[in-house]
């Protein structure tokens, strides 16, 4: 079974910007009645369909499959609830891990979140200097929730 073991953090400063290149992501969500997630994503000229189950701590089942870009575009435009989540993802290798820093656009402009997938739930993580507050347990920072309740609408 596929699984995702991930932690999320807010980002501070700009030191991370020179450490990796960015790629535009467009993603949307097909409504589900519970904590399961069906995501469609377009990354450059490649589409992906992702199915995620409910999380138990920082672990959740995840299955991702490549699909044609034309199919992903059609699904994003016709089956996903608006608004789409758009972001530039910067992939930054640090030690043996790969950090992904998401700089959100559109209705989530101004939000920058770093996430890292871990080899196991007990992994002792060393934080880079540009990583700040952990938001793993805060459901507002899940991309599926950013689609429903964009950062620009939050009362901070």
């Amino acid at each position: 079974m596929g699984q995702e073991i991930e932690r999320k953090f807010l980002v501070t400063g700009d030191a991370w910007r020179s450490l990796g290149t960015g790629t535009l992501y467009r993603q949307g969500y097909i409504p589900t009645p519970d904590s399961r997630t069906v995501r469609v994503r377009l990354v450059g000229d490649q589409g992906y369909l992702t199915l995620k189950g409910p999380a138990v701590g920082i672990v959740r089942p995840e299955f991702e499959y490549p699909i044609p870009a034309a199919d992903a575009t059609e699904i994003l435009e016709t089956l996903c609830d608006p608004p789409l989540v758009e972001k530039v993802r910067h992939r930054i290798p640090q030690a043996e891990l790969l950090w992904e820093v998401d700089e959100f656009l559109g209705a989530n402009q101004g939000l920058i979140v770093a996430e890292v997938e871990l080899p196991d739930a007990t992994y002792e993580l060393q934080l880079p200097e540009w990583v700040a507050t952990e938001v793993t347990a805060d459901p507002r920072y899940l991309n599926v929730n950013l689609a429903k309740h964009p950062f620009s609408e939050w009362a901070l």
Side-chain angles (χ1 to χ4, degrees):
M1 175 173 81
Q3 68 178 6
E4 172 183 70
I5 305 168
E6 180 178 84
R7 291 176 64 187
K8 290 185 178 204
F9 301 83
L10 296 178
V11 173
T12 185
D14 287 324
W16 59 274
R17 289 189 185 278
S18 64
L19 303 175
T21 59
T23 303
L24 179 64
Y25 280 55
R26 292 181 65 227
Q27 60 194 50
Y29 297 88
I30 297 173
T32 61
D34 55 22
S35 60
R36 289 174 277 197
T37 301
V38 178
R39 178 185 70 206
V40 176
R41 177 182 271 175
L42 188 61
V43 181
D45 62 355
Q46 180 61 60
Y48 297 92
L49 175 65
T50 306
L51 309 170
K52 295 185 181 193
V56 177
I58 63 171
V59 181
R60 68 190 290 186
E62 176 183 66
F63 302 90
E64 184 168 81
Y65 306 97
I67 62 174
D71 290 358
T73 299
E74 177 95 11
I75 294 168
L76 287 169
E77 293 173 357
T78 62
L79 299 178
C80 294
D81 281 350
L84 298 181
V85 172
E86 296 181 299
K87 60 189 178 182
V88 176
R89 173 165 280 180
H90 304 264
R91 298 168 61 90
I92 302 172
Q94 294 277 304
E96 71 275 2
L97 300 174
L98 180 65
W99 286 83
E100 296 174 327
V101 177
D102 291 339
E103 186 174 15
F104 288 88
L105 308 171
N108 290 298
Q109 181 85 31
L111 179 61
I112 302 175
V113 175
E115 57 186 49
V116 62
E117 288 199 30
L118 304 174
D120 64 71
T122 61
Y123 183 86
E124 206 164 309
L125 183 60
Q126 299 298 313
L127 301 179
E129 65 180 19
W130 39 266
V131 167
T133 308
E134 183 163 9
V135 295
T136 303
D138 189 335
R140 295 178 302 165
Y141 293 94
L142 293 172
N143 282 240
V144 67
N145 290 336
L146 290 171
K148 296 174 190 172
H149 307 287
F151 182 69
S152 62
E153 297 175 2
W154 295 8
L156 298 176

